[in-house]
Amino acid sequence: MSGKLSDGDKVLIDLGQTLPKSGYAYVLRQDDELLVKYCQLLPEGILRLSSENPNFPPYDINLAKSQDVSILGRVVASTHEW
């Protein structure tokens, strides 16, 4: 999420919001990584994940079939140390 977040920034997430809505950023666990991605709901249960960082192109997942991805919560705030 380079541009909005930098390495070392702290992110506040709402753990009660684990059902993705289009246009919001969420923290996801994918395999052993924690990621911050924007979500877009597509037809047939597909979720498109995108980043502010252009080095990471968007990709699609099917949450119903994907065992290695879980949504931990929606990003509601972040802090940046100078």
Side-chain angles (χ1 to χ4, degrees), residues 28-35 66-70:
L28 300 102
R29 181 184 312 276
Q30 187 171 11
D31 296 320
D32 293 330
E33 289 189 87
L34 293 178
L35 307 169
S66 180
Q67 302 281 328
D68 60 340
V69 176
S70 59

Side-chain angles (χ1 to χ4, degrees), residues 6 11-15 20 23 27-28 30 36 38 42 48 51 55 58 64-67 72-73 75-76:
S6 298
V11 177
L12 177 67
I13 64 173
D14 182 345
L15 298 174
V27 174
L28 300 102
Q30 187 171 11
V36 175
Y38 287 110
L42 300 174
R48 176 160 294 153
S51 176
N55 293 323
K65 295 181 181 179
S66 180
Q67 302 281 328
L72 302 181
V75 175
V76 294

Side-chain angles (χ1 to χ4, degrees), residues 6-63:
S6 298
D7 191 32
D9 286 356
K10 294 180 179 39
V11 177
L12 177 67
I13 64 173
D14 182 345
L15 298 174
Q17 295 188 47
T18 58
L19 296 175
K21 294 182 181 177
S22 293
Y24 291 97
Y26 292 84
V27 174
L28 300 102
R29 181 184 312 276
Q30 187 171 11
D31 296 320
D32 293 330
E33 289 189 87
L34 293 178
L35 307 169
V36 175
K37 297 287 184 183
Y38 287 110
C39 292
Q40 178 184 1
L41 296 171
L42 300 174
E44 300 184 26
I46 302 299
L47 185 64
R48 176 160 294 153
L49 303 174
S50 60
S51 176
E52 286 279 332
N53 189 335
N55 293 323
F56 295 93
Y59 60 97
D60 298 343
I61 61 170
N62 184 332
L63 286 176

